[in-house]
Amino acid sequence: MRQPFEQAVRQHGATVLRVCHAVLGSDAEADDAWSETFLAALAAWPDLDDDTNVEGWLVRVAHFKAIDIIRRRARQAVPTAEPPERVSTEGVPGRGPSELWVAVQSLPERQRVAVAYHYLGGLAHSETAAIVGSSPAAVRRAASDGIATLRRMHGADLLLEGTHS
Amino acid sequence: MTATDHPLSVDLDPPRAAWSAALPVDTAALTMLERRLTERATQSGLVDVAYRTIETPVGRLLLAATERGVVRVAFEVEEFDAVLATLADRISPRILAAPAQLDDAARQLDEYFAGDRTSFDLPLDHTLAGGFRLEVQEFLPRIAYGTTLTYTQVASEVGRPKAVRAVGTACATNPHPVIVPCHRVLRSDGSVGGYLGGPAVKRTLLQFEGAEGHER
C-alpha cells in the first residue's frame, strides 16, 4: 500500500473504534483493540496490495484483535467471580454511552457481531461469515434479529425506522 | 456488500452515515488513541517517516523526518497531501504525524524566524537528493546568512563552472528549503529566480536576512 498510513488512521479510526466498542463493550477493551489493530496494520501496511479495501481489511484485523481480548478475558476470569458486566456504565468523561450504544451492547454476541461488522464496519454478511466461521445465511439472520431487537427497544428511533420490512 | 449476497439490504439499510451519527465516538478519545498509537509505533520502530506542520511568517511548513534526520521541508503551495504521497512512494508509506520527533527542527526554525538563529544544526536525511544535486545542496549552507551568490558563482564553487543550469535544478529541487539556504542563490542579473515556495517567499526570506533580492 502506497497511501501514507496516517490517512488510513484519519479515514477509518472512528469506524474501527465504533466496531471495537460494539463488539467488546468496555471503553478500556475497545481502546486496547483499536491500538492493537492499528499497530498490526502499520506493521503490515507496506506489504498490503494497493487495491485492498482498507476499511474492510481494518475491520477484519479489529475482529481478530477483539477475539484475542475476549480469550484473554476468559483466561483471566475466576470461576467463582461475578460475571463481568458487558455493558460499560463507567463514566469516562465525555464518553457516556448513548442509549443506542447500550442497546447494541446488550444484544447477544452473534447478533452484536453481525450488526457491528455490517452496519458499522461495512462488511458484507458473507465477509462476516468468513471471519467468524459461520454461514452467510446465519449471519444475515443474526443481523436481522439484532436489528429487530434494536427497533423494539428504540421503536421511535429515526435511524431504525424502515430498516426492515 | 454485493447484490447477490444480500438482495434486500440495498433499499432497506439506513446509510452508514446515519449509524455513525447515532453511535457517536468521542473525538477527544480518538485523538488520545492516535497519540498513543504514535508513541507505541515509534517505540516499536514502526514509524519510517514522522511529520508535523509549523506556522511561520512565510506560511505553514511541513517538516518530515526519518530516523536519520530531517528528510523534507515543504511549503503549503506544494500541497502537503501531495508531499506526503511522494514521501510514501520514495521512502515508506509507514508515515505518521509524530510532532515530538520534530521538536528540535521546529524549535530551530522558530528561532530562525524570530531572528535569533543564522544557521541550522540538524541531522539531515539526503535520501531525496543524489549525485550532483546533493553536492550543490551540501555546499549551500556555506553561503552565510544575509549574503547571496549567483547560480554561476555556485557552479564555480562546486568545481563545475559550466553546470549553471544544473545548479539551478539542484536549488529548485532542494528537499530542505530554509534549512539548506537555496534562497541565497540568485540569478546573475540579481533577480531572485525560482523557488519551491514561490518567488515572493524567497524575496521575503532575503529581506528578512537583510540581503537584497533585486527585481529588474
Short mmCIF file of all heavy atoms in Angstrom, two decimals, chain A residues 1-6 18 31 34 36 39 42-43 45-46 55 94-95 98 100-101 118-120 122 124-126 140 147 159 162-163, chain B residues 1 5-6 12-14 16 18-20 22-26 29-30 33-34 37 40-41 46 51 81 84 88-89 93-97:
data_model
loop_
_atom_site.label_atom_id
_atom_site.label_comp_id
_atom_site.label_asym_id
_atom_site.label_seq_id
_atom_site.Cartn_x
_atom_site.Cartn_y
_atom_site.Cartn_z
N MET A 1 0.85 -1.19 0.00
CA MET A 1 0.00 0.00 0.00
C MET A 1 0.89 1.24 0.00
O MET A 1 1.75 1.38 0.85
CB MET A 1 -0.90 -0.03 1.25
CG MET A 1 -1.87 1.12 1.36
SD MET A 1 -3.04 1.25 0.01
CE MET A 1 -4.05 -0.22 0.27
N ARG A 2 0.64 2.11 -0.97
CA ARG A 2 1.50 3.30 -1.05
C ARG A 2 0.88 4.53 -0.41
O ARG A 2 1.51 5.58 -0.32
CB ARG A 2 1.86 3.58 -2.51
CG ARG A 2 3.06 2.75 -2.96
CD ARG A 2 3.30 2.93 -4.42
NE ARG A 2 2.10 2.58 -5.18
CZ ARG A 2 2.04 2.62 -6.51
NH1 ARG A 2 3.07 3.02 -7.21
NH2 ARG A 2 0.95 2.27 -7.14
N GLN A 3 -0.38 4.40 0.05
CA GLN A 3 -1.02 5.54 0.73
C GLN A 3 -0.33 5.77 2.08
O GLN A 3 -0.03 4.81 2.79
CB GLN A 3 -2.51 5.22 0.95
CG GLN A 3 -3.29 6.34 1.57
CD GLN A 3 -4.65 5.87 2.11
OE1 GLN A 3 -4.80 4.75 2.55
NE2 GLN A 3 -5.62 6.74 2.06
N PRO A 4 -0.05 7.05 2.43
CA PRO A 4 0.51 7.29 3.77
C PRO A 4 -0.41 6.73 4.85
O PRO A 4 -1.61 6.96 4.82
CB PRO A 4 0.58 8.82 3.85
CG PRO A 4 0.65 9.28 2.43
CD PRO A 4 -0.17 8.29 1.65
N PHE A 5 0.17 5.99 5.80
CA PHE A 5 -0.64 5.32 6.82
C PHE A 5 -1.49 6.30 7.63
O PHE A 5 -2.61 5.98 8.02
CB PHE A 5 0.28 4.51 7.75
CG PHE A 5 -0.47 3.66 8.73
CD1 PHE A 5 -1.12 2.51 8.30
CD2 PHE A 5 -0.55 4.00 10.06
CE1 PHE A 5 -1.82 1.72 9.19
CE2 PHE A 5 -1.25 3.23 10.96
CZ PHE A 5 -1.89 2.07 10.52
N GLU A 6 -0.94 7.49 7.87
CA GLU A 6 -1.69 8.48 8.65
C GLU A 6 -3.08 8.71 8.07
O GLU A 6 -4.05 8.90 8.81
CB GLU A 6 -0.90 9.80 8.66
CG GLU A 6 -1.57 10.96 9.37
CD GLU A 6 -1.59 10.82 10.89
OE1 GLU A 6 -0.69 10.16 11.43
OE2 GLU A 6 -2.51 11.36 11.52
N ARG A 18 -15.67 2.33 16.65
CA ARG A 18 -17.09 2.01 16.77
C ARG A 18 -17.29 0.49 16.76
O ARG A 18 -18.02 -0.06 17.58
CB ARG A 18 -17.81 2.65 15.58
CG ARG A 18 -19.22 3.05 15.86
CD ARG A 18 -19.79 3.86 14.69
NE ARG A 18 -19.56 5.27 14.86
CZ ARG A 18 -18.91 6.05 14.01
NH1 ARG A 18 -18.42 5.55 12.90
NH2 ARG A 18 -18.74 7.32 14.27
N ASP A 31 -10.48 0.44 23.47
CA ASP A 31 -9.26 1.23 23.23
C ASP A 31 -8.07 0.30 22.94
O ASP A 31 -7.28 0.55 22.03
CB ASP A 31 -8.93 2.10 24.45
CG ASP A 31 -9.87 3.30 24.57
OD1 ASP A 31 -10.74 3.46 23.70
OD2 ASP A 31 -9.74 4.05 25.56
N TRP A 34 -8.42 -1.23 19.50
CA TRP A 34 -8.14 -0.20 18.49
C TRP A 34 -6.62 -0.05 18.32
O TRP A 34 -6.10 -0.05 17.21
CB TRP A 34 -8.77 1.13 18.92
CG TRP A 34 -8.73 2.21 17.88
CD1 TRP A 34 -9.73 2.54 17.00
CD2 TRP A 34 -7.65 3.13 17.61
NE1 TRP A 34 -9.32 3.58 16.20
CE2 TRP A 34 -8.06 3.96 16.55
CE3 TRP A 34 -6.38 3.32 18.16
CZ2 TRP A 34 -7.25 4.97 16.02
CZ3 TRP A 34 -5.57 4.32 17.64
CH2 TRP A 34 -6.00 5.13 16.58
N GLU A 36 -4.18 -2.15 19.17
CA GLU A 36 -3.57 -3.37 18.62
C GLU A 36 -3.85 -3.47 17.12
O GLU A 36 -2.99 -3.88 16.34
CB GLU A 36 -4.12 -4.60 19.34
CG GLU A 36 -3.75 -4.70 20.81
CD GLU A 36 -2.25 -4.79 21.04
OE1 GLU A 36 -1.57 -5.36 20.18
OE2 GLU A 36 -1.77 -4.27 22.06
N LEU A 39 -1.62 -0.85 15.27
CA LEU A 39 -0.20 -1.22 15.32
C LEU A 39 0.09 -2.37 14.34
O LEU A 39 1.07 -2.33 13.59
CB LEU A 39 0.19 -1.67 16.74
CG LEU A 39 0.77 -0.63 17.67
CD1 LEU A 39 1.17 -1.30 18.99
CD2 LEU A 39 1.99 0.09 17.07
N LEU A 42 -0.12 -1.07 10.82
CA LEU A 42 1.07 -0.30 10.43
C LEU A 42 2.21 -1.24 10.05
O LEU A 42 2.93 -1.00 9.06
CB LEU A 42 1.47 0.63 11.58
CG LEU A 42 2.76 1.44 11.41
CD1 LEU A 42 2.70 2.33 10.16
CD2 LEU A 42 3.01 2.30 12.65
N ALA A 43 2.37 -2.31 10.83
CA ALA A 43 3.45 -3.26 10.54
C ALA A 43 3.25 -3.91 9.17
O ALA A 43 4.20 -4.10 8.41
CB ALA A 43 3.51 -4.32 11.64
N TRP A 45 1.43 -2.73 6.67
CA TRP A 45 0.99 -1.73 5.67
C TRP A 45 1.79 -1.77 4.35
O TRP A 45 1.19 -1.81 3.27
CB TRP A 45 1.04 -0.36 6.32
CG TRP A 45 0.37 0.73 5.55
CD1 TRP A 45 0.98 1.82 4.98
CD2 TRP A 45 -1.03 0.88 5.29
NE1 TRP A 45 0.04 2.62 4.38
CE2 TRP A 45 -1.20 2.07 4.56
CE3 TRP A 45 -2.16 0.11 5.59
CZ2 TRP A 45 -2.45 2.52 4.11
CZ3 TRP A 45 -3.41 0.55 5.16
CH2 TRP A 45 -3.53 1.74 4.44
N PRO A 46 3.13 -1.76 4.39
CA PRO A 46 3.86 -1.70 3.11
C PRO A 46 3.60 -2.92 2.22
O PRO A 46 3.76 -2.84 1.01
CB PRO A 46 5.32 -1.64 3.53
CG PRO A 46 5.29 -1.12 4.93
CD PRO A 46 4.05 -1.69 5.53
N GLU A 55 -10.80 -0.25 4.62
CA GLU A 55 -11.75 -0.28 5.73
C GLU A 55 -12.12 -1.72 6.10
O GLU A 55 -12.07 -2.10 7.27
CB GLU A 55 -13.01 0.50 5.36
CG GLU A 55 -14.01 0.57 6.50
CD GLU A 55 -15.31 1.23 6.07
OE1 GLU A 55 -16.00 0.67 5.18
OE2 GLU A 55 -15.61 2.30 6.59
N GLY A 94 -17.03 12.50 28.94
CA GLY A 94 -17.34 12.73 27.54
C GLY A 94 -17.65 11.46 26.78
O GLY A 94 -17.85 11.48 25.59
N ARG A 95 -17.66 10.33 27.45
CA ARG A 95 -17.89 9.09 26.73
C ARG A 95 -19.09 8.34 27.26
O ARG A 95 -19.18 7.13 27.13
CB ARG A 95 -16.64 8.21 26.80
CG ARG A 95 -15.45 8.86 26.14
CD ARG A 95 -14.29 7.90 26.07
NE ARG A 95 -14.50 6.91 25.03
CZ ARG A 95 -13.59 5.99 24.72
NH1 ARG A 95 -12.45 5.94 25.36
NH2 ARG A 95 -13.81 5.13 23.75
N SER A 98 -24.45 6.47 24.56
CA SER A 98 -25.79 6.86 24.14
C SER A 98 -26.71 5.66 24.36
O SER A 98 -26.26 4.53 24.53
CB SER A 98 -25.78 7.26 22.67
OG SER A 98 -25.69 6.11 21.86
N LEU A 100 -28.53 4.13 22.28
CA LEU A 100 -28.39 3.12 21.23
C LEU A 100 -27.13 2.28 21.45
O LEU A 100 -27.12 1.07 21.20
CB LEU A 100 -28.36 3.80 19.85
CG LEU A 100 -28.36 2.86 18.65
CD1 LEU A 100 -29.56 1.91 18.68
CD2 LEU A 100 -28.34 3.64 17.35
N TRP A 101 -26.06 2.93 21.95
CA TRP A 101 -24.85 2.16 22.29
C TRP A 101 -25.19 1.07 23.30
O TRP A 101 -24.79 -0.08 23.16
CB TRP A 101 -23.78 3.08 22.89
CG TRP A 101 -22.76 3.59 21.93
CD1 TRP A 101 -22.41 4.90 21.74
CD2 TRP A 101 -21.93 2.83 21.04
NE1 TRP A 101 -21.43 4.99 20.78
CE2 TRP A 101 -21.11 3.74 20.33
CE3 TRP A 101 -21.81 1.46 20.77
CZ2 TRP A 101 -20.19 3.34 19.38
CZ3 TRP A 101 -20.89 1.06 19.81
CH2 TRP A 101 -20.10 1.98 19.14
N HIS A 118 -21.45 -5.40 9.80
CA HIS A 118 -22.17 -4.99 8.58
C HIS A 118 -22.55 -3.51 8.62
O HIS A 118 -22.18 -2.75 7.72
CB HIS A 118 -23.43 -5.85 8.42
CG HIS A 118 -24.23 -5.48 7.20
ND1 HIS A 118 -23.74 -5.65 5.92
CD2 HIS A 118 -25.47 -4.93 7.07
CE1 HIS A 118 -24.66 -5.24 5.05
NE2 HIS A 118 -25.71 -4.79 5.72
N TYR A 119 -23.25 -3.10 9.66
CA TYR A 119 -23.78 -1.74 9.67
C TYR A 119 -22.75 -0.69 10.09
O TYR A 119 -22.77 0.43 9.63
CB TYR A 119 -25.01 -1.65 10.60
CG TYR A 119 -26.19 -2.40 10.05
CD1 TYR A 119 -26.52 -3.67 10.53
CD2 TYR A 119 -26.97 -1.85 9.04
CE1 TYR A 119 -27.59 -4.36 10.01
CE2 TYR A 119 -28.05 -2.55 8.51
CZ TYR A 119 -28.35 -3.80 9.00
OH TYR A 119 -29.42 -4.48 8.47
N LEU A 120 -21.84 -1.07 10.98
CA LEU A 120 -20.83 -0.10 11.43
C LEU A 120 -19.53 -0.26 10.65
O LEU A 120 -18.84 0.72 10.37
CB LEU A 120 -20.53 -0.27 12.93
CG LEU A 120 -21.74 -0.28 13.87
CD1 LEU A 120 -21.28 -0.39 15.31
CD2 LEU A 120 -22.57 0.98 13.66
N GLY A 122 -19.19 -1.97 7.59
CA GLY A 122 -19.33 -2.00 6.14
C GLY A 122 -19.01 -3.34 5.48
O GLY A 122 -18.88 -3.41 4.26
N ALA A 124 -19.82 -7.07 4.03
CA ALA A 124 -20.96 -7.86 3.58
C ALA A 124 -21.17 -9.00 4.58
O ALA A 124 -20.21 -9.43 5.24
CB ALA A 124 -20.68 -8.42 2.19
N HIS A 125 -22.40 -9.48 4.68
CA HIS A 125 -22.66 -10.59 5.62
C HIS A 125 -21.78 -11.80 5.28
O HIS A 125 -21.35 -12.52 6.17
CB HIS A 125 -24.14 -10.98 5.59
CG HIS A 125 -25.04 -9.95 6.19
ND1 HIS A 125 -24.76 -9.31 7.39
CD2 HIS A 125 -26.22 -9.42 5.76
CE1 HIS A 125 -25.72 -8.45 7.68
NE2 HIS A 125 -26.62 -8.49 6.70
N SER A 126 -21.51 -12.00 4.00
CA SER A 126 -20.66 -13.14 3.61
C SER A 126 -19.24 -12.96 4.15
O SER A 126 -18.58 -13.93 4.52
CB SER A 126 -20.65 -13.30 2.09
OG SER A 126 -20.14 -12.13 1.49
N ARG A 140 -26.79 -13.29 8.32
CA ARG A 140 -27.86 -12.37 7.91
C ARG A 140 -29.02 -12.45 8.89
O ARG A 140 -29.61 -11.44 9.27
CB ARG A 140 -28.32 -12.72 6.49
CG ARG A 140 -29.27 -11.69 5.90
CD ARG A 140 -29.66 -12.05 4.48
NE ARG A 140 -28.48 -12.29 3.66
CZ ARG A 140 -28.33 -13.32 2.83
NH1 ARG A 140 -29.30 -14.22 2.72
NH2 ARG A 140 -27.23 -13.46 2.13
N ILE A 147 -31.32 -6.26 14.58
CA ILE A 147 -31.99 -5.02 14.19
C ILE A 147 -33.42 -4.99 14.73
O ILE A 147 -33.89 -3.97 15.22
CB ILE A 147 -31.99 -4.87 12.64
CG1 ILE A 147 -30.56 -4.63 12.13
CG2 ILE A 147 -32.92 -3.75 12.20
CD1 ILE A 147 -30.00 -3.28 12.49
N LEU A 159 -33.20 6.37 13.04
CA LEU A 159 -32.23 5.54 12.34
C LEU A 159 -32.83 4.20 11.96
O LEU A 159 -32.59 3.69 10.87
CB LEU A 159 -31.02 5.30 13.25
CG LEU A 159 -30.08 4.19 12.83
CD1 LEU A 159 -29.34 4.58 11.57
CD2 LEU A 159 -29.13 3.87 13.95
N GLY A 162 -37.84 1.73 9.27
CA GLY A 162 -37.78 1.30 7.88
C GLY A 162 -36.55 0.50 7.53
O GLY A 162 -36.29 0.25 6.37
N THR A 163 -35.77 0.09 8.54
CA THR A 163 -34.59 -0.69 8.18
C THR A 163 -35.00 -2.10 7.77
O THR A 163 -34.29 -2.75 7.06
CB THR A 163 -33.60 -0.80 9.36
OG1 THR A 163 -34.31 -1.26 10.49
CG2 THR A 163 -32.96 0.52 9.63
N MET B 1 -20.89 -4.69 0.30
CA MET B 1 -21.84 -5.79 0.13
C MET B 1 -22.21 -5.94 -1.32
O MET B 1 -22.20 -4.97 -2.07
CB MET B 1 -23.03 -5.51 1.03
CG MET B 1 -24.33 -5.22 0.36
SD MET B 1 -25.48 -4.48 1.53
CE MET B 1 -24.59 -3.09 2.15
N ASP B 5 -25.30 -11.24 -2.55
CA ASP B 5 -25.13 -11.66 -1.16
C ASP B 5 -26.32 -11.25 -0.32
O ASP B 5 -26.75 -11.96 0.57
CB ASP B 5 -23.85 -11.06 -0.59
CG ASP B 5 -23.77 -11.25 0.91
OD1 ASP B 5 -23.87 -12.42 1.34
OD2 ASP B 5 -23.61 -10.25 1.63
N HIS B 6 -26.86 -10.09 -0.59
CA HIS B 6 -27.81 -9.51 0.33
C HIS B 6 -28.85 -8.72 -0.46
O HIS B 6 -28.88 -7.50 -0.40
CB HIS B 6 -27.04 -8.60 1.29
CG HIS B 6 -27.80 -8.30 2.54
ND1 HIS B 6 -27.52 -7.24 3.35
CD2 HIS B 6 -28.86 -8.92 3.11
CE1 HIS B 6 -28.36 -7.22 4.37
NE2 HIS B 6 -29.18 -8.23 4.25
N LEU B 12 -33.11 -1.24 2.03
CA LEU B 12 -33.60 -1.20 3.41
C LEU B 12 -32.58 -0.67 4.41
O LEU B 12 -32.95 -0.18 5.46
CB LEU B 12 -34.04 -2.61 3.84
CG LEU B 12 -35.18 -3.20 3.00
CD1 LEU B 12 -35.47 -4.62 3.42
CD2 LEU B 12 -36.43 -2.34 3.12
N ASP B 13 -31.30 -0.77 4.06
CA ASP B 13 -30.29 -0.33 5.01
C ASP B 13 -30.32 1.18 5.18
O ASP B 13 -30.34 1.91 4.20
CB ASP B 13 -28.89 -0.70 4.50
CG ASP B 13 -28.59 -2.17 4.74
OD1 ASP B 13 -29.44 -2.84 5.36
OD2 ASP B 13 -27.53 -2.62 4.29
N PRO B 14 -30.27 1.64 6.42
CA PRO B 14 -30.04 3.06 6.60
C PRO B 14 -28.60 3.36 6.17
O PRO B 14 -27.75 2.47 6.22
CB PRO B 14 -30.22 3.26 8.10
CG PRO B 14 -29.96 1.94 8.70
CD PRO B 14 -30.31 0.90 7.68
N ARG B 16 -24.73 4.35 6.10
CA ARG B 16 -23.68 4.23 7.13
C ARG B 16 -23.58 5.50 7.96
O ARG B 16 -23.38 5.45 9.17
CB ARG B 16 -22.32 3.95 6.47
CG ARG B 16 -22.22 2.68 5.66
CD ARG B 16 -21.82 1.49 6.54
NE ARG B 16 -20.63 1.71 7.31
CZ ARG B 16 -19.40 1.65 6.84
NH1 ARG B 16 -19.20 1.39 5.57
NH2 ARG B 16 -18.36 1.85 7.62
N ALA B 18 -25.83 7.47 8.93
CA ALA B 18 -26.85 7.55 9.97
C ALA B 18 -26.43 6.74 11.19
O ALA B 18 -26.62 7.17 12.32
CB ALA B 18 -28.18 7.04 9.42
N TRP B 19 -25.84 5.57 10.93
CA TRP B 19 -25.34 4.77 12.05
C TRP B 19 -24.20 5.49 12.77
O TRP B 19 -24.12 5.50 13.99
CB TRP B 19 -24.83 3.41 11.55
CG TRP B 19 -25.92 2.43 11.30
CD1 TRP B 19 -26.60 2.24 10.14
CD2 TRP B 19 -26.47 1.53 12.25
NE1 TRP B 19 -27.54 1.27 10.31
CE2 TRP B 19 -27.49 0.80 11.59
CE3 TRP B 19 -26.21 1.25 13.59
CZ2 TRP B 19 -28.24 -0.18 12.23
CZ3 TRP B 19 -26.95 0.27 14.23
CH2 TRP B 19 -27.96 -0.44 13.55
N SER B 20 -23.31 6.08 12.00
CA SER B 20 -22.19 6.80 12.60
C SER B 20 -22.68 7.93 13.50
O SER B 20 -22.15 8.15 14.58
CB SER B 20 -21.28 7.38 11.52
OG SER B 20 -20.84 6.36 10.66
N ALA B 22 -25.65 8.05 14.94
CA ALA B 22 -26.42 7.53 16.06
C ALA B 22 -25.54 6.83 17.10
O ALA B 22 -25.92 6.71 18.26
CB ALA B 22 -27.48 6.55 15.55
N LEU B 23 -24.38 6.35 16.66
CA LEU B 23 -23.44 5.71 17.59
C LEU B 23 -22.15 6.52 17.59
O LEU B 23 -21.16 6.15 16.96
CB LEU B 23 -23.17 4.26 17.17
CG LEU B 23 -24.35 3.30 17.30
CD1 LEU B 23 -24.02 1.94 16.71
CD2 LEU B 23 -24.75 3.14 18.76
N PRO B 24 -22.17 7.65 18.27
CA PRO B 24 -21.01 8.56 18.20
C PRO B 24 -19.79 7.99 18.90
O PRO B 24 -19.92 7.23 19.87
CB PRO B 24 -21.52 9.82 18.92
CG PRO B 24 -22.59 9.33 19.84
CD PRO B 24 -23.21 8.14 19.18
N VAL B 25 -18.62 8.31 18.39
CA VAL B 25 -17.39 8.06 19.15
C VAL B 25 -16.83 9.41 19.55
O VAL B 25 -16.96 10.39 18.82
CB VAL B 25 -16.33 7.26 18.35
CG1 VAL B 25 -16.85 5.89 18.00
CG2 VAL B 25 -15.90 7.99 17.12
N ASP B 26 -16.26 9.43 20.73
CA ASP B 26 -15.77 10.69 21.28
C ASP B 26 -14.49 11.10 20.56
O ASP B 26 -13.52 10.34 20.53
CB ASP B 26 -15.53 10.50 22.77
CG ASP B 26 -15.08 11.78 23.42
OD1 ASP B 26 -15.62 12.84 23.06
OD2 ASP B 26 -14.18 11.73 24.28
N ALA B 29 -11.35 11.19 22.68
CA ALA B 29 -10.82 9.85 22.96
C ALA B 29 -10.04 9.34 21.75
O ALA B 29 -8.98 8.73 21.89
CB ALA B 29 -11.96 8.89 23.29
N LEU B 30 -10.57 9.63 20.57
CA LEU B 30 -9.90 9.18 19.35
C LEU B 30 -8.54 9.88 19.18
O LEU B 30 -7.55 9.24 18.82
CB LEU B 30 -10.81 9.48 18.15
CG LEU B 30 -10.56 8.71 16.86
CD1 LEU B 30 -10.54 7.21 17.10
CD2 LEU B 30 -11.63 9.06 15.82
N LEU B 33 -6.15 8.24 21.44
CA LEU B 33 -5.72 6.94 20.90
C LEU B 33 -4.69 7.13 19.79
O LEU B 33 -3.72 6.38 19.70
CB LEU B 33 -6.93 6.17 20.36
CG LEU B 33 -7.83 5.52 21.40
CD1 LEU B 33 -9.10 4.97 20.74
CD2 LEU B 33 -7.08 4.39 22.11
N GLU B 34 -4.90 8.14 18.95
CA GLU B 34 -3.94 8.40 17.86
C GLU B 34 -2.57 8.77 18.44
O GLU B 34 -1.54 8.33 17.93
CB GLU B 34 -4.46 9.51 16.95
CG GLU B 34 -5.60 9.05 16.06
CD GLU B 34 -6.27 10.19 15.29
OE1 GLU B 34 -5.75 11.32 15.32
OE2 GLU B 34 -7.31 9.95 14.68
N LEU B 37 -0.99 5.69 19.80
CA LEU B 37 -0.53 4.86 18.69
C LEU B 37 0.83 5.36 18.17
O LEU B 37 1.75 4.56 17.93
CB LEU B 37 -1.56 4.88 17.55
CG LEU B 37 -1.12 4.23 16.23
CD1 LEU B 37 -0.98 2.71 16.39
CD2 LEU B 37 -2.10 4.55 15.09
N ARG B 40 3.55 4.36 20.68
CA ARG B 40 3.89 2.93 20.66
C ARG B 40 4.55 2.54 19.35
O ARG B 40 5.49 1.74 19.33
CB ARG B 40 2.63 2.08 20.90
CG ARG B 40 2.15 2.14 22.34
CD ARG B 40 0.96 1.24 22.58
NE ARG B 40 1.25 -0.18 22.33
CZ ARG B 40 0.33 -1.13 22.36
NH1 ARG B 40 -0.93 -0.83 22.61
NH2 ARG B 40 0.67 -2.38 22.14
N ALA B 41 4.07 3.10 18.24
CA ALA B 41 4.65 2.79 16.93
C ALA B 41 6.09 3.28 16.86
O ALA B 41 6.97 2.61 16.31
CB ALA B 41 3.80 3.40 15.83
N LEU B 46 8.29 1.39 14.15
CA LEU B 46 7.40 1.18 13.00
C LEU B 46 7.12 2.46 12.22
O LEU B 46 6.44 2.42 11.20
CB LEU B 46 6.08 0.57 13.46
CG LEU B 46 6.10 -0.92 13.84
CD1 LEU B 46 4.76 -1.35 14.43
CD2 LEU B 46 6.43 -1.78 12.61
N TYR B 51 6.05 13.24 10.74
CA TYR B 51 5.91 14.61 10.25
C TYR B 51 5.09 15.47 11.20
O TYR B 51 4.40 14.97 12.08
CB TYR B 51 5.32 14.65 8.83
CG TYR B 51 3.82 14.40 8.78
CD1 TYR B 51 2.92 15.46 8.82
CD2 TYR B 51 3.31 13.11 8.68
CE1 TYR B 51 1.55 15.25 8.76
CE2 TYR B 51 1.96 12.89 8.63
CZ TYR B 51 1.07 13.96 8.67
OH TYR B 51 -0.28 13.75 8.62
N ASP B 81 -0.61 17.02 1.14
CA ASP B 81 -1.01 15.64 0.80
C ASP B 81 -0.15 15.08 -0.33
O ASP B 81 0.23 13.91 -0.31
CB ASP B 81 -2.49 15.59 0.40
CG ASP B 81 -3.40 15.55 1.61
OD1 ASP B 81 -2.87 15.37 2.73
OD2 ASP B 81 -4.62 15.72 1.45
N LEU B 84 3.28 14.27 1.10
CA LEU B 84 3.26 13.02 1.87
C LEU B 84 3.16 11.81 0.95
O LEU B 84 3.78 10.77 1.20
CB LEU B 84 2.11 13.04 2.88
CG LEU B 84 2.25 14.04 4.03
CD1 LEU B 84 0.98 14.09 4.87
CD2 LEU B 84 3.45 13.69 4.91
N ALA B 88 5.71 8.74 0.79
CA ALA B 88 5.25 7.35 0.89
C ALA B 88 5.85 6.53 -0.25
O ALA B 88 6.30 5.40 -0.05
CB ALA B 88 3.73 7.28 0.86
N ASP B 89 5.87 7.13 -1.43
CA ASP B 89 6.35 6.45 -2.62
C ASP B 89 7.87 6.28 -2.60
O ASP B 89 8.40 5.21 -2.91
CB ASP B 89 5.93 7.29 -3.83
CG ASP B 89 5.70 6.42 -5.04
OD1 ASP B 89 5.24 5.28 -4.86
OD2 ASP B 89 5.99 6.88 -6.16
N PRO B 93 5.53 4.05 3.13
CA PRO B 93 4.17 4.50 3.49
C PRO B 93 3.90 4.45 4.99
O PRO B 93 2.83 4.83 5.43
CB PRO B 93 3.27 3.53 2.73
CG PRO B 93 4.07 2.27 2.64
CD PRO B 93 5.52 2.68 2.57
N ARG B 94 4.88 3.95 5.77
CA ARG B 94 4.70 3.96 7.23
C ARG B 94 4.94 5.39 7.73
O ARG B 94 5.99 5.70 8.31
CB ARG B 94 5.66 2.99 7.91
CG ARG B 94 5.23 1.54 7.79
CD ARG B 94 6.12 0.66 8.62
NE ARG B 94 5.82 -0.75 8.41
CZ ARG B 94 6.76 -1.69 8.28
NH1 ARG B 94 8.03 -1.37 8.34
NH2 ARG B 94 6.41 -2.93 8.10
N ILE B 95 3.97 6.25 7.47
CA ILE B 95 4.05 7.67 7.79
C ILE B 95 3.02 8.00 8.86
O ILE B 95 1.85 7.66 8.71
CB ILE B 95 3.75 8.51 6.53
CG1 ILE B 95 4.80 8.24 5.45
CG2 ILE B 95 3.68 10.00 6.87
CD1 ILE B 95 4.59 9.05 4.18
N LEU B 96 3.47 8.66 9.92
CA LEU B 96 2.54 9.11 10.95
C LEU B 96 2.87 10.53 11.38
O LEU B 96 4.03 10.93 11.37
CB LEU B 96 2.60 8.20 12.19
CG LEU B 96 1.78 6.91 12.21
CD1 LEU B 96 1.99 6.20 13.54
CD2 LEU B 96 0.29 7.20 12.01
N ALA B 97 1.83 11.27 11.73
CA ALA B 97 2.05 12.58 12.35
C ALA B 97 2.66 12.31 13.73
O ALA B 97 2.04 11.67 14.56
CB ALA B 97 0.71 13.32 12.49
#
